[in-house]
């Protein structure tokens, strides 16, 4: 395996499948099986889950809701996803802990960095719920933050496409996929890989981001084995 400790960023939409809202249990179960294969190979896996399949603060605030309140609701939505994924992992005997950035100790541990690292060292999957605990942030930025905190070697950003293209592959059949890109290129060209805050945080901490298609079979395992399954952003190995 190319990595020892990785951080996987799953958007809420990844758990939704084709449903349009909420959680598709079959998709979650498939993702859990892929994660189990990675864990079985001895790689430590931390996960940040989004909440966009249930609630997005920025959308609700555009319709008149107070932004901070809407963002707190969005963060709570991510905890539902985190607990769902925990259940799917534990169904297949992968010990998993959810840690939340907003305390809800009846259902999950509070986020404690050293404890999260200890869980990982023991081979448990750690899912970080409730984003960063702060409104006006995203779970992409949370992924960058937690990856830096726990010393993850790489962020795997699971998406619906197999990397970053120079134009929209859905609209342009000639669109070219990048194998690797610098953080600066992503920021300067406003490529919508992750929000700018997340990219900047990764750049500052030299954490590479692998953008890959979650829905191709075994892609998580292949990515962790170091296969170029998508586009890698930044990191000395990736700079073009
Ligand atoms: N959110 C937040 N602070 C954070 C992370 C998330 O306020 O640190 C809120 C925000 O309202 C966001 C929602 O939680 O819209 C769901 O997260 P996100 O949109 O990042 O999920 P994803 O797009 O990955 O599904």
């Amino acid at each position: 395996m190319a990595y020892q400790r990785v951080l996987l960023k799953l958007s809420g939409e990844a758990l939704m499948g084709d449903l349009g809202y909420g959680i598709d249990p079959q998709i979650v179960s498939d993702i859990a099986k892929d994660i189990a294969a990675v864990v079985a190979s001895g790689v430590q896996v931390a996960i940040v889950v989004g909440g966009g399949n249930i609630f997005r603060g920025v959308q609700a605030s555009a319709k008149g809701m107070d932004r901070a309140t809407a963002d707190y609701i969005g963060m709570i939505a991510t905890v539902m996803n985190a607990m769902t994924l925990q259940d799917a992992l534990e169904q297949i005997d992968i010990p998993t802990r959810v840690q939340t950035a907003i305390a809800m100790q009846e259902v999950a541990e509070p986020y404690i960095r050293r404890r999260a690292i200890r869980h990982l060292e023991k081979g448990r999957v750690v899912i970080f719920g409730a984003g960063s605990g702060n409104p006006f942030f995203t779970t992409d930025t949370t992924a960058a933050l937690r990856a830096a905190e726990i010393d993850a070697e790489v962020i795997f950003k699971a998406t619906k496409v197999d990397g970053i293209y120079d134009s929209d592959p859905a609209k342009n059949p000639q669109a070219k996929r990048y194998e690797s890109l610098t953080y600066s290129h992503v920021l300067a060209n406003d490529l919508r890989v992750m929000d700018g805050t997340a990219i900047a945080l990764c750049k500052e901490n030299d954490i590479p981001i692998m953008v890959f298609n979650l829905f191709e079979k075994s892609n998580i395992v292949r990515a962790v084995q170091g296969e170029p399954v998508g586009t890698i952003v930044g990191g000395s190995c990736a700079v073009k």
Side-chain angles (χ1 to χ4, degrees), residues 27 94 108 121 123 133-134 137 144 153 196 199 202 204 233:
I27 298 254
I94 302 296
E121 287 169 348
N134 303 293
F137 284 85
E153 292 146 287
I199 299 287
C202 288
E204 224 162 82
V233 179

Side-chain angles (χ1 to χ4, degrees), residues 9 11-12 50-52 55-57 71 74-75 131-132 134-135 137-139 142:
K9 165 69 211 295
S11 68
F55 199 92
R56 262 184 218 287
D71 277 343
M75 286 186 264
S132 64
N134 303 293
F137 284 85
T138 64
T139 52
T142 307

Side-chain angles (χ1 to χ4, degrees), residues 3 6-14 31 45-52 56 138-144 147 152-164 177 183 186 191-196 198-199 202 207-216 219-221 223-224 227-233:
Y3 305 102
V6 303
L7 189 136
L8 176 65
K9 165 69 211 295
L10 294 172
S11 68
E13 278 172 2
I31 294 171
V45 181
I47 302 170
V48 169
V49 277
R56 262 184 218 287
T138 64
T139 52
D140 279 353
T141 300
T142 307
E153 292 146 287
V154 60
I155 295 175
F156 288 112
K157 159 96 178 167
T159 67
K160 287 178 178 169
V161 282
D162 61 351
I164 307 169
R177 181 166 70 96
Y183 304 109
V186 172
L191 298 179
R192 307 240 160 236
V193 187
M194 281 180 150
D195 57 274
I199 299 287
C202 288
I207 303 168
I209 307 154
M210 169 65 87
V211 181
F212 72 104
N213 186 343
L214 177 69
F215 298 104
E216 258 169 52
N219 246 4
I220 300 179
V221 184
V224 176
E227 281 188 45
V229 289
T231 301
I232 192 143
V233 179

Side-chain angles (χ1 to χ4, degrees), residues 61-161:
S61 82
K63 290 183 186 153
M65 193 175 209
D66 170 66
R67 171 70 192 265
T69 304
D71 277 343
Y72 279 112
I73 297 170
M75 286 186 264
I76 291 167
T78 72
V79 181
M80 292 196 232
N81 288 331
M83 291 174 67
T84 305
L85 187 58
Q86 177 186 38
D87 179 76
L89 284 162
E90 294 201 328
Q91 298 272 349
I92 51 172
D93 301 323
I94 302 296
T96 306
R97 300 290 184 273
V98 175
Q99 290 200 343
T100 57
I102 294 172
M104 36 184 105
Q105 293 183 37
E106 285 75 10
V107 294
E109 294 177 9
Y111 172 62
I112 299 171
R113 175 179 163 266
R114 297 173 73 105
R115 197 163 178 188
I117 292 171
R118 191 78 193 110
H119 287 319
L120 292 168
E121 287 169 348
K122 287 185 173 170
R124 297 172 185 144
V125 171
V126 178
I127 307 174
F128 297 117
S132 64
N134 303 293
F136 303 99
F137 284 85
T138 64
T139 52
D140 279 353
T141 300
T142 307
L145 174 66
R146 294 289 184 249
E149 286 186 271
I150 64 166
D151 268 327
E153 292 146 287
V154 60
I155 295 175
F156 288 112
K157 159 96 178 167
T159 67
K160 287 178 178 169
V161 282

Side-chain angles (χ1 to χ4, degrees), residues 164 176-183 185-186 209 230-235 237-240:
I164 307 169
K176 186 177 140 278
R177 181 166 70 96
Y178 294 106
E179 244 175 63
S180 65
L181 283 172
T182 60
Y183 304 109
H185 184 102
V186 172
I209 307 154
T231 301
I232 192 143
V233 179
C237 58
V239 179
K240 230 183 194 176

